[in-house]
Amino acid sequence: MFKFILKRLLMMIPVFLGVSFVIFTLMYFTPGDPAQLLLGDDASEQSIHMLRQELGLDEPFLTQYAKYVKGIVFEGNLGTSYTTQRPVTEEILLRFPNTMLLAVLSVTVSVVIGITAGIIAATKQYSIFDNLATGISLAGVSMPNFWQGLMSIILFSIILKWLPASGFSGPKYWILPAMTIGTSSAAKIMRMTRSSMLEVIRQDYIRTARAKGQIERVVILKHALKNALIPVITVVGISFGALLGGAVLTESIFAIPGIGKLMVDSIAMRNFPMVQGGVLFIAVVFSFVNLGVDILYAFVDPRIKSQYVSNKKNKKRRKVELAYGEK
């Protein structure tokens, strides 16, 4: 397991370099002059030229990229924001707790609703509940998050006046954005859980468990669900990783000061260091979430864990055989 984790960590290095090169190239060739936007339309050509020199924007592409990579590798520096003149890392970490909280709340909502509905739909296949849950999940997958968010604001904030329409400063402010994202993800998780459970509950070992006289709840939760969780964990992990990168539309609609809104504002202002640092940070977070999902597979499915153990034992046995063979 340790070698597997180490190998995955080493594989992340070229991924990060590739992401940094792609986003740096896109920002370099993006239309618009950051110096012009910072100084305004009334600024003189001389002032704009001096600011471009100060920001290093007049240097060749490869020179700028080399300095950028050097700052990341040797100094851990993602650059300085053009608009606030503060380190990019500091700006990102300042907003990351809000994005993290939104992601955790949304995933919790989606997992509780999705897995519960998926289990019931699978165990009561073709029943009224199954058809109803499938229809609702199809609607949930089809509805865009921004439309659902706007409808939630109109209903719960403007008409009923139960919840605030924007902000993220307390539990009341968390409900609408978490439900907006969570219900959309719950639809995907419900469909995946249902299909996976239907495949598992038809297996021979499930019939054997029932034949031994175990109650249905134990059979479903202990035997069937655990073996059906692998594809569900994959969907949850991808959703969680994407949310940690910032729910752009939801954060913008509800005015949440998270990474997603920060990226949107930075793109509009041509704040190149912030966009580049934000994308690289998202890539790092997403990669570690995927690694965590792969490790979680081994704890959920004993067959995967046994592969690591058996590989380790086989290597030890080969070493012993080679040692005796040399003697």
Side-chain angles (χ1 to χ4, degrees), residues 70-294:
K70 180 182 177 182
I72 295 174
V73 175
F74 295 101
E75 302 174 9
N77 181 19
L78 293 177
T80 303
S81 172
Y82 289 162
T83 56
T84 63
Q85 296 301 312
R86 297 171 64 183
V88 170
T89 305
E90 183 179 332
E91 293 281 350
I92 293 174
L93 294 179
L94 184 65
R95 292 164 176 78
F96 183 65
N98 292 332
T99 299
M100 171 66 99
L101 178 59
L102 177 61
V104 171
L105 292 174
S106 303
V107 168
T108 302
V109 170
S110 63
V111 167
V112 171
I113 296 176
I115 292 181
T116 303
I119 292 173
I120 299 175
T123 53
K124 300 183 182 298
Q125 189 179 14
Y126 303 130
S127 65
I128 296 177
F129 181 86
D130 183 22
N131 295 330
L132 183 63
T134 303
I136 294 175
S137 67
L138 181 60
V141 172
S142 304
M143 286 190 300
N145 279 345
F146 72 88
W147 183 86
Q148 189 177 352
L150 292 174
M151 293 302 103
S152 299
I153 291 174
I154 292 173
L155 177 61
F156 295 105
S157 299
I158 298 176
I159 297 177
L160 299 177
K161 301 184 185 302
W162 287 354
L163 299 168
S166 62
F168 210 63
S169 56
K172 284 187 177 182
Y173 295 85
W174 305 342
I175 297 175
L176 282 185
M179 292 299 295
T180 298
I181 301 174
T183 51
S184 176
S185 300
K188 303 174 186 177
I189 294 174
M190 178 269 163
R191 292 171 65 86
M192 182 61 68
T193 304
R194 179 183 181 276
S195 61
S196 185
M197 284 289 294
L198 286 174
E199 182 179 351
V200 169
I201 59 179
R202 296 188 177 99
Q203 299 296 323
D204 292 336
Y205 65 87
I206 298 297
R207 299 191 187 97
T208 303
R210 286 170 175 159
K212 289 181 178 180
Q214 293 188 358
I215 60 177
E216 188 67 14
R217 184 175 68 256
V218 174
V219 173
I220 295 299
L221 297 180
K222 184 178 179 180
H223 298 284
L225 179 60
K226 190 172 182 179
N227 291 289
L229 278 180
I230 293 297
V232 178
I233 290 175
T234 304
V235 174
V236 173
I238 293 174
S239 300
F240 186 63
L243 289 175
L244 286 178
V248 176
L249 294 176
T250 305
E251 289 184 4
S252 298
I253 290 171
F254 291 98
I256 299 172
I259 293 179
K261 191 172 185 304
L262 174 65
M263 296 293 291
V264 172
D265 296 340
S266 300
I267 292 172
M269 291 298 297
R270 301 298 189 273
N271 193 348
F272 293 167
M274 185 62 70
V275 177
Q276 293 161 3
V279 172
L280 191 59
F281 178 81
I282 293 170
V284 171
V285 171
F286 203 92
S287 298
F288 276 100
V289 169
N290 286 337
L291 176 60
V293 169
D294 290 342

Side-chain angles (χ1 to χ4, degrees), residues 30-44 47-48 51-52 55 57 82-83 265-272:
T30 298
D33 188 356
Q36 178 73 58
L37 290 173
L38 289 172
L39 294 177
D41 296 333
D42 298 332
S44 63
S47 300
I48 294 174
L51 183 58
R52 285 181 58 84
L55 298 176
L57 297 174
Y82 289 162
T83 56
D265 296 340
S266 300
I267 292 172
M269 291 298 297
R270 301 298 189 273
N271 193 348
F272 293 167

Side-chain angles (χ1 to χ4, degrees), residues 17-30 52 56-69 272 276:
L17 289 175
V19 170
S20 68
F21 180 78
V22 170
I23 188 60
F24 192 91
T25 303
L26 290 175
M27 290 295 99
Y28 182 83
F29 291 104
T30 298
R52 285 181 58 84
L57 297 174
D58 60 334
E59 297 178 345
F61 169 76
L62 292 179
T63 303
Q64 292 186 38
Y65 179 69
K67 289 184 177 180
Y68 180 67
V69 174
F272 293 167
Q276 293 161 3

